[in-house]
Amino acid sequence: MTNETNGPSSGDCTQDLAGKHLLLGLSGGIACYKAAELCRALIKAGATVQVVMTEAAEQFITPVTMQALSGRPVYTSQWDSREANNMAHINLSREADAILIAPCSADFMAKLLHGRADDLLSLMCLARPLDQVPLLLAPAMNREMYAHPATQRNLLQLAADGATVLGVGTGFQACGETGDGRMLEPDQLLEDVIAFFTPKVLAGQQVLVTAGPTYEAIDPVRGITNLSSGKMGFAIARAAREAGAQVTLVAGPVSLPTPRGVTRVDVKSASDMLDAVVSHAKFATIFIATAAVADWRPAAPAMQKIKKDGSGHAPQLEFAENTDILATVARSAAAQAGALYCVGFAAESHDLLENAQAKRLRKKVPLLVGNIGPDTFGQDHNALLLVDAQGNTALPRASKLSLARRLVQEIASRIGA
Ligand code: CTP
């Protein structure tokens, strides 16, 4: 037997689910093959996982596979004599921090809806203490089944009954059709489960984040940009969403996946970024400017590729200064009235504290986060220095996602959320 240890990429290898015990329920559907990888991802994130399978699920994947991945015998029957009291549905549900059904078939949803309990998994869901053991559902089915009014009605009612419905993916389905209804990918489900357990310190907040570099065109094939990877801003967007905020991420040209549940607006130049930010800032309560916006742009980009003229002389470029997006938003009426909390970043090469303090006053923002440019650009780790009117707080070097989560907590406490 080979020993596979590498899990799917979750973007971060932190033990985000350490101490959590999850009951992973599989109902019948081809997406059971993804449940194997999900199980591994949950364990890699620090959770312990007890798998329970329906008879239909066993048609798609064996309990042997799930036992090997979870490191625990799988339960499949409500008559399992391994339990001394023969009450697996009670014992298993009492020790879980949450029950995650992935895949959750249309039939299983209908069963849950009616409170049916003729197999271990549905029995366990019905028997769980409602206020202590949350139920998360990852639907998976053919697009017609998903779109059917009965299914949509069931989804709404299950949510009204207290279940958390994690949504579905869109795309090519095993049946050959294309549409909504695929089960979310394991790394997406992992992100959703982690978000589910995160305290909602930003509930009700509308967060607007800028991230990445900008690209200022010289001609149709060349331009000026910088080494910003966007990772810090994307991590902040993810952390804010985990904390319960509605998040819009205005991203310069980067090739990073959009964090789950975040609305992304792609832009290229500083001027595009300014337009997008100004239109979204109207709805925001928190603005976090992490983007490395180009300070200057070629004043008159050429409409056609600039050709060498054989003279040996480089073309002379004129530059114009870009508008300061952060300072513009910080001057807005909402920010002045305290309805929009603005957070700036400062990428410095030296004298971090002095430069960050000066930049905070110059940009007129309540909180400025300093970091050393060469230590952060393109890297997965960083160290931050938070500077506000009260003083400064150093967040030591850590993964950008952990720093983003710390920063979100710091912002929440400053706005009294
Ligand atoms: N910023 C912005 N729009 C600009 C320039 C910067 O919104 N045109 C924001 C950045 O997103 C960051 C903060 O302002 O939050 C500081 O950016 P930084 O590049 O460190 O500072 P600069 O304003 O460019 O100042 P300097 O060049 O003097 O360091």
Side-chain angles (χ1 to χ4, degrees):
M1 196 179 185
T2 54
N3 185 13
E4 282 274 321
T5 50
N6 294 330
S9 162
S10 64
D12 200 83
C13 285
T14 50
Q15 296 275 292
D16 293 327
L17 295 177
K20 298 285 180 227
H21 181 62
L22 299 173
L23 244 158
L24 176 61
L26 278 65
S27 60
I30 186 63
C32 277
Y33 81 92
K34 294 188 196 172
E37 201 161 355
L38 172 62
C39 178
R40 208 161 61 150
L42 294 169
I43 286 174
K44 205 177 163 203
T48 49
V49 178
Q50 174 61 59
V51 176
V52 176
M53 295 171 67
T54 64
E55 202 181 323
E58 288 184 74
Q59 297 293 317
F60 294 92
I61 188 168
T62 69
V64 174
T65 301
M66 298 309 292
Q67 174 173 355
L69 293 172
S70 65
R72 288 164 179 255
V74 171
Y75 283 78
T76 56
S77 161
Q78 69 268 48
W79 311 119
D80 197 314
S81 60
R82 281 173 298 180
E83 295 295 307
N85 60 358
N86 211 295
M87 292 188 198
H89 61 297
I90 301 291
N91 305 346
L92 296 180
S93 63
R94 297 305 182 267
E95 62 193 28
D97 290 301
I99 300 176
L100 167 62
I101 311 288
C104 187
S105 67
D107 179 58
F108 196 74
M109 281 190 339
K111 243 177 144 168
L112 286 177
L113 182 93
H114 289 287
R116 302 251 327 259
D118 58 356
D119 68 280
L120 177 59
L121 192 55
S122 55
L123 181 59
M124 211 179 61
C125 291
L126 193 68
R128 82 187 203 280
L130 268 182
D131 51 345
Q132 287 164 35
V133 185
L135 177 63
L136 285 71
L137 308 177
M141 66 203 71
N142 163 269
R143 66 187 177 105
E144 299 291 359
M145 293 167 73
Y146 182 70
H148 196 283
T151 302
Q152 291 301 314
R153 202 166 51 231
N154 291 351
L155 280 169
L156 286 176
Q157 187 56 51
L158 284 166
D161 289 349
T164 297
V165 181
L166 298 177
V168 292
T170 298
F172 183 72
Q173 302 197 305
C175 52
E177 298 178 5
T178 301
D180 291 344
R182 286 164 55 114
M183 188 169 86
L184 293 172
E185 298 306 314
D187 55 349
Q188 296 176 315
L189 288 172
L190 176 66
E191 226 175 295
D192 282 358
V193 172
I194 292 168
F196 178 81
F197 284 115
T198 305
K200 299 292 175 266
V201 293
L202 290 186
Q205 302 293 330
Q206 307 282 332
V207 175
L208 177 62
V209 182
T210 63
T214 63
Y215 176 91
E216 312 299 327
I218 294 173
D219 69 17
V221 295
R222 304 183 184 92
I224 297 170
T225 186
N226 59 62
L227 290 175
S228 166
S229 64
K231 286 179 182 172
M232 193 68 227
F234 275 60
I236 290 172
R238 173 175 169 175
R241 181 258 173 177
E242 286 175 351
Q246 298 279 334
V247 183
T248 302
L249 173 61
V250 177
V254 292
S255 53
L256 293 174
T258 309
R260 292 278 304 145
V262 165
T263 304
R264 175 172 178 171
V265 181
D266 282 322
V267 295
K268 221 168 167 184
S269 67
S271 141
D272 298 340
M273 188 174 274
L274 175 69
D275 291 347
V277 165
V278 167
S279 74
H280 286 89
K282 295 182 197 112
F283 313 104
T285 55
I286 299 171
F287 175 51
I288 308 173
T290 74
V293 184
D295 290 320
W296 301 281
R297 66 181 181 279
M303 302 308 281
Q304 293 183 335
K305 184 181 175 192
I306 302 171
K307 295 289 205 182
K308 286 195 292 276
D309 61 8
S311 68
H313 295 298
Q316 295 300 306
L317 293 178
E318 292 277 325
F319 288 93
E321 193 170 315
N322 281 325
T323 305
D324 191 314
I325 301 169
L326 175 61
T328 304
V329 174
R331 276 195 307 268
S332 69
Q336 293 295 314
L340 174 61
Y341 186 84
C342 294
V343 182
F345 265 67
E348 305 295 340
S349 60
H350 58 285
D351 297 334
L352 187 56
L353 180 60
E354 295 74 14
N355 279 318
Q357 282 169 333
K359 206 166 271 185
R360 187 183 86 81
L361 297 174
R362 199 167 69 239
K363 308 239 176 185
K364 297 192 168 54
V365 292
L367 178 62
L368 196 115
V369 183
N371 57 175
I372 298 292
D375 288 352
T376 177
F377 279 12
Q379 308 211 22
D380 290 327
H381 291 70
N382 195 7
L384 302 178
L385 182 68
L386 278 52
V387 177
D388 65 7
Q390 277 65 49
N392 60 80
T393 312
L395 303 187
R397 198 161 180 81
S399 78
K400 288 187 173 174
L401 186 55
S402 342
L403 288 172
R405 288 174 175 151
R406 282 285 313 276
L407 179 61
V408 159
Q409 288 168 2
E410 295 279 348
I411 293 171
S413 68
R414 281 168 175 75
I415 64 172

